[in-house]
Amino acid sequence: MQRNKSLKYRWCGLFAVTVALALSAGYAWSAQDAEVVPASRKVEAKNMRLVGYNDLQARSAYQPLVHHQGNRWIAYIGHHGGTQEIPQPYNPLTKQKENNGTSLVDVTDPKHPKYVAHIPGEPGFDESGGAQMVRVCDGKQLPKGDPAKVYLLRTGGTSAQEIWDVTVPERPSLLTTVISGLKDTHKNWWECDTGIAYLVSDGRPEKWRTKRMTKIYDLSDPAHPKFIRNFALVGQQPGAAGDNVPEDTHGPIVVGNRVYFGYGTLLGGVIQIVDRDKLLKGNPASKDPFAPTPENLLYPQISRLDMYPTVGAHTTFPVLGMEVPEFEKFHTKTGDAKSGKPAKRDFLVVVDESTQNECYEDYHMMFMVDITDETKPFSVSNFYVPEKSGNFCARGGRFGTQSSNEDMGPIYYKRLVFIAWFNAGLRVVDIRDPFSPREAAYYIPAISKDTAKRCVKVDGVDRCKIAIQTNNAEVDDRGYIYIVDRANTGMHILELTGEARKIANFK
């Protein structure tokens, strides 16, 4: 049952009117000359359809972000590093082979997305290269930004955090390097209205006991970054005793005066809720409010939830002020005294990350955590895709959750969340009843000629398959949904149909 034979594969694409529709239609593979086993030859969908497609120059994609920029909509996509087979994909715009970095795609017309620029990143493979993370702010919103400019905050591979001028997306230019000399970076957050940025960065150069912690900067003037403080969990600080070091920071999300941190990614997970004002001002009882002492690190913490050892907190997406229809007739001490109705409830959508191909790990899924009493967060439900529904463990690549969308616009917020599920594509989850989430839609793209193989070792020999690896999802304020693929399949632009579309709040 093992295959140790490397033969060339042949792609027989069936072209339709546009490249996007052709790519969505699927591919025919020749069994006798396939290098690896293709897992999904055609689109699988429920209550979703393809609007447009871009191949992203066959680069492994991580974070998509869609920004309304003047009269245009621009998708910024952060990339992982290259592959051993193709370390530097070809950029037809520059006619050069380039390290994976950041793609800029004009999606003003979502049916015909146009690739306008690529900013090269660091050399390296998978997560050791590229430029995974992107955030964008308009200068007119930043307190000290140039109102005529648009700024891109991105990771400079694993070694730096950078700010680029992307006012003209076709001509991005480096503005400044916020910090360099790191050995790891990851998922940032940038408050456009204040300029405060939470940069997940390597703590080891400053003797912190973690490769990913949070460095907080004032980027209200993007050309002149100002460092505020370092922050991490107690036990990760320099000089901490003991071998039980908490897992690395994955990333924060900020809403109002709260910062929701996720740690652990795929195991040893921790959810931490932090008072933003206390975090930024520091402990007034300390001579050095930002010194990395246990007291100073605990000062802004409102609560901490330690998850099951094999579960992580890749994404902690707050969904606040939810009305739960099933609770309408219940009158509790936490209810609204005037209306007699139960109080609105607050939740975190917590997603952990699958990392092993072909299910050689615990199943990772989505959790709903009730934070109505934010001092006592409590998991109340979960959602998962039944493996048998698509024989997903046998398809190849990763199966399980990766992340949720992070947009809080009114079309989907408190109604639907969009979860990247690797070889199970995008899953759309109805959370109107957060105690009983259910699937509303899904979309699994077809593999393409660019989809990279994914391997596991069996008795010391690689067994490889080709499968979709939907890595991240995002939505824009028009309601379009964007998914990007870790295995080089590109970016698909989608829309809801049928019953799922009825759930959304389209005007």
Side-chain angles (χ1 to χ4, degrees):
M1 298 297 292
Q2 300 169 3
R3 304 194 61 175
N4 193 25
K5 205 170 185 180
S6 180
L7 299 172
K8 290 185 178 180
Y9 61 79
R10 178 167 57 89
W11 174 49
C12 302
L14 183 60
F15 287 88
V17 176
T18 66
V19 173
L21 294 179
L23 287 164
S24 74
Y27 301 89
W29 294 78
S30 175
Q32 68 267 24
D33 60 4
E35 178 187 9
V36 291
V37 178
S40 50
R41 299 176 179 85
K42 61 182 181 180
V43 169
E44 300 167 65
K46 172 188 174 184
N47 290 335
M48 297 197 86
R49 65 185 170 208
L50 181 71
V51 176
Y53 171 82
N54 189 275
D55 67 4
L56 301 180
Q57 300 181 347
R59 301 180 188 275
S60 174
Y62 179 69
Q63 181 71 25
L65 182 145
V66 182
H67 187 65
H68 192 191
Q69 198 159 321
N71 60 357
R72 304 170 72 184
W73 294 80
I74 306 297
Y76 296 85
I77 298 98
H79 293 285
H80 298 114
T83 64
Q84 295 284 348
E85 293 82 2
I86 308 177
Q88 294 181 308
Y90 179 71
N91 180 358
L93 298 176
T94 62
K95 297 180 172 55
Q96 301 288 328
K97 293 181 178 180
E98 296 173 353
N99 295 322
N100 285 355
T102 308
S103 290
L104 285 70
V105 183
D106 188 325
V107 294
T108 307
D109 178 357
K111 295 180 180 179
H112 302 98
K114 181 182 178 182
Y115 198 103
V116 297
H118 174 252
I119 308 171
E122 280 190 339
F125 306 113
D126 196 36
E127 295 195 26
S128 66
Q132 296 178 50
M133 192 61 212
V134 290
R135 297 291 183 197
V136 179
C137 287
D138 291 326
K140 62 185 178 183
Q141 191 174 9
L142 289 165
K144 300 177 183 178
D146 183 334
K149 293 189 178 297
V150 179
Y151 301 97
L152 165 68
L153 170 66
R154 75 165 195 169
T155 55
T158 57
S159 67
Q161 304 278 359
E162 302 171 343
I163 297 178
W164 288 70
D165 181 342
V166 291
T167 307
V168 180
E170 290 82 357
R171 298 193 299 275
S173 62
L174 180 64
L175 180 66
T176 188
T177 298
V178 179
I179 185 173
S180 59
L182 307 172
K183 293 182 179 179
D184 213 333
T185 59
H186 211 51
K187 199 171 179 66
N188 301 330
W189 190 265
W190 194 9
E191 301 173 8
C192 293
D193 57 341
T194 69
I196 300 301
Y198 307 78
L199 308 184
V200 174
S201 303
D202 188 6
R204 292 168 296 185
E206 296 174 80
K207 309 301 181 183
W208 288 74
R209 305 171 77 204
T210 175
K211 65 180 182 180
R212 290 178 182 169
M213 48 155 322
T214 304
K215 291 182 174 294
I216 303 175
Y217 277 81
D218 180 351
L219 301 183
S220 59
D221 180 352
H224 301 95
K226 294 181 180 179
F227 176 70
I228 297 176
R229 70 172 299 177
N230 290 320
F231 186 73
L233 289 174
V234 170
Q236 295 177 329
Q237 74 272 20
D243 297 326
N244 188 22
V245 182
E247 292 292 330
D248 303 322
T249 308
H250 187 268
I253 295 179
V254 182
V255 177
N257 191 39
R258 294 293 181 264
V259 186
Y260 302 94
F261 286 98
Y263 300 81
T265 308
L266 72 151
L267 49 81
V270 174
I271 299 165
Q272 185 186 39
I273 304 177
V274 168
D275 183 303
R276 176 187 174 277
D277 287 347
K278 291 182 177 180
L279 176 67
L280 298 182
K281 294 176 182 177
N283 185 1
S286 173
K287 293 181 179 179
D288 182 352
F290 296 144
T293 64
E295 295 77 17
N296 287 349
L297 294 177
L298 288 172
Y299 173 70
Q301 178 175 293
I302 293 171
S303 61
R304 166 178 169 165
L305 175 63
D306 289 80
M307 304 173 74
Y308 190 73
T310 57
V311 172
H314 178 285
T315 308
T316 50
F317 178 60
V319 184
L320 309 177
M322 291 193 70
E323 294 180 350
V324 184
E326 286 296 323
F327 292 0
E328 283 182 354
K329 296 181 181 179
F330 290 82
H331 306 283
T332 68
K333 293 181 180 179
T334 60
D336 184 328
K338 293 182 179 180
S339 68
K341 293 182 178 180
K344 293 181 179 180
R345 305 187 74 86
D346 299 331
F347 295 88
L348 287 179
V349 176
V350 180
V351 181
D352 62 329
E353 179 183 7
S354 300
T355 63
Q356 301 301 310
N357 295 333
E358 299 190 35
C359 303
Y360 281 86
E361 61 184 346
D362 279 18
Y363 191 1
H364 297 287
M365 60 187 71
M366 183 198 97
F367 299 89
M368 297 296 295
V369 177
D370 191 323
I371 58 168
T372 307
D373 180 348
E374 59 184 354
T375 67
K376 296 180 175 63
F378 181 68
S379 182
V380 295
S381 63
N382 61 30
F383 171 81
Y384 65 93
V385 177
E387 190 278 333
K388 291 182 179 179
S389 66
N391 197 22
F392 290 109
C393 287
R395 290 193 181 200
R398 303 182 187 186
F399 168 61
T401 48
Q402 155 68 10
S403 61
S404 75
N405 67 292
E406 296 176 356
D407 181 87
M408 300 178 195
I411 295 175
Y412 301 122
Y413 191 59
K414 304 181 191 179
R415 297 166 180 263
L416 297 167
V417 292
F418 300 83
I419 310 294
W421 219 282
F422 286 120
N423 70 8
L426 176 72
R427 316 308 282 210
V428 184
V429 185
D430 179 353
I431 58 167
R432 290 174 298 172
D433 180 354
F435 294 87
S436 184
R438 65 178 185 85
E439 186 163 84
Y442 62 80
Y443 189 92
I444 307 175
I447 55 176
S448 78
K449 62 181 178 59
D450 297 317
T451 306
K453 64 185 178 183
R454 290 293 184 264
C455 304
V456 294
K457 283 197 178 294
V458 179
D459 297 330
V461 178
D462 279 343
R463 179 179 68 201
C464 300
K465 299 178 181 180
I466 294 176
I468 286 298
Q469 294 286 266
T470 300
N471 202 90
N472 279 67
E474 192 52 285
V475 302
D476 69 20
D477 290 341
R478 300 174 295 178
Y480 293 112
I481 304 124
Y482 302 78
I483 58 174
V484 296
D485 189 82
R486 189 185 189 97
N488 308 356
T489 315
M491 176 178 69
H492 295 77
I493 305 174
L494 310 170
E495 65 181 3
L496 295 176
T497 62
E499 293 301 314
R501 191 173 183 85
K502 293 178 183 178
I503 297 171
N505 186 31
F506 285 100
K507 298 297 185 182

